[in-house]
Amino acid sequence: NKALYIETADEINPTWHTQNGGSLLNNQLDFEGIQNNWFGHGQNSPTTSTTSIPGALVVDNLLSTSALQTIRQLLLRNTHWYQTKTPLEFGKYVGSYVDDGLHDPLFLQLAKQLHESMPRIMKGHELKYMWAYKYDSEWESGIRLHADQAAVNVNLWVSLDGADLEVEGFGGGLVVFTAKPPGEFECDLYHFMIFYFSFWRCQLLMMLNFSNY
């Protein structure tokens, strides 16, 4: 893929800086309550999150309407998807990264506002990396089971609802396991074990709870 077409947020939506009072986030959300849920001290409500367990939660309608629309256009229009994931090993999708194309100021402003809106969760954890993935609609495969190297990991699902390939009994979207890698494991070794050794994977993951978002 090549950068044959690149359009900025300023070109797509020149007023994104000032819409919704300058916030890219949904200002109707109770971010204090969201943080309480993260630490296991709150109760789920329509203004916080739909589902949560300590250390993992899902927040519906996190973005403002205008921000979501602009982000979708940025990701659909621009050809900065330089990494291709091979179908047999990873699934069939392409990736874009903050150090290689995915660096529109809107994305960086969003990271800043998330940090400011949830200081108790984000304290001491500055933005380290950012990426986006786009999938082949005709290939029913997503990202394989993996662990990310992050103290706080934020996943934004910005596809239309119709793009969610829901499986009966399991929902759709993102499956989050509550398992943590053993302390002595490096990330590459952990990925090798869970991908190539099904017995070890089942022993580690399947006996534990998971949340399907």
Side-chain angles (χ1 to χ4, degrees):
N1 205 350
K2 297 181 180 180
L4 299 176
Y5 185 85
I6 297 294
E7 193 171 21
T8 67
D10 287 339
E11 293 171 313
I12 294 173
N13 180 6
T15 62
W16 72 265
H17 302 272
T18 57
Q19 289 178 326
N20 196 40
S23 177
L24 299 170
L25 303 176
N26 180 356
N27 55 23
Q28 300 300 312
L29 290 174
D30 175 13
F31 284 100
E32 189 64 26
I34 289 172
Q35 292 179 97
N36 288 337
N37 285 349
W38 172 271
F39 291 107
H41 304 314
Q43 295 181 347
N44 298 324
S45 76
T47 59
T48 55
S49 62
T50 56
T51 308
S52 71
I53 57 175
L57 54 85
V58 56
V59 180
D60 286 330
N61 304 313
L62 176 66
L63 303 176
S64 70
T65 300
S66 60
L68 177 59
Q69 292 173 346
T70 304
I71 288 172
R72 281 175 173 164
Q73 291 303 311
L74 283 170
L75 298 177
L76 287 171
R77 294 182 183 183
N78 291 330
T79 60
H80 48 44
W81 306 91
Y82 303 135
Q83 185 179 55
T84 301
K85 296 290 189 176
T86 56
L88 293 180
E89 186 174 2
F90 296 105
K92 193 173 184 181
Y93 59 97
V94 291
S96 182
Y97 302 87
V98 67
D99 53 354
D100 194 21
L102 191 74
H103 45 63
D104 191 276
L106 183 147
F107 294 124
L108 302 178
Q109 180 68 6
L110 175 58
K112 179 182 179 182
Q113 291 184 8
L114 285 169
H115 200 282
E116 293 172 344
S117 297
M118 296 178 283
R120 288 192 286 138
I121 296 176
M122 302 294 188
K123 183 179 179 180
H125 305 305
E126 304 296 332
L127 177 66
K128 296 296 184 182
Y129 209 54
M130 180 169 57
W131 59 88
Y133 292 128
K134 185 171 3 180
Y135 302 87
D136 186 333
S137 300
E138 297 182 358
W139 191 278
E140 296 184 8
S141 176
I143 299 174
R144 72 180 189 183
L145 187 66
H146 69 284
D148 287 324
Q149 292 177 292
V152 179
N153 196 326
V154 179
N155 292 269
L156 299 179
W157 188 276
V158 298
S159 297
L160 297 172
D161 290 343
D164 184 1
L165 300 179
E166 184 173 348
V167 178
E168 185 177 356
F170 290 92
L174 181 68
V175 178
V176 178
F177 288 91
T178 58
K180 295 181 180 180
E184 69 275 12
F185 271 41
E186 294 184 357
C187 193
D188 288 344
L189 175 59
Y190 186 69
H191 286 160
F192 179 82
M193 293 291 286
I194 61 177
F195 186 66
Y196 290 105
F197 294 95
S198 59
F199 174 78
W200 193 88
R201 178 171 64 244
C202 290
Q203 290 297 309
L204 177 66
L205 298 178
M206 298 309 176
M207 292 186 299
L208 300 173
N209 294 327
F210 68 91
S211 296
N212 194 315
Y213 300 146

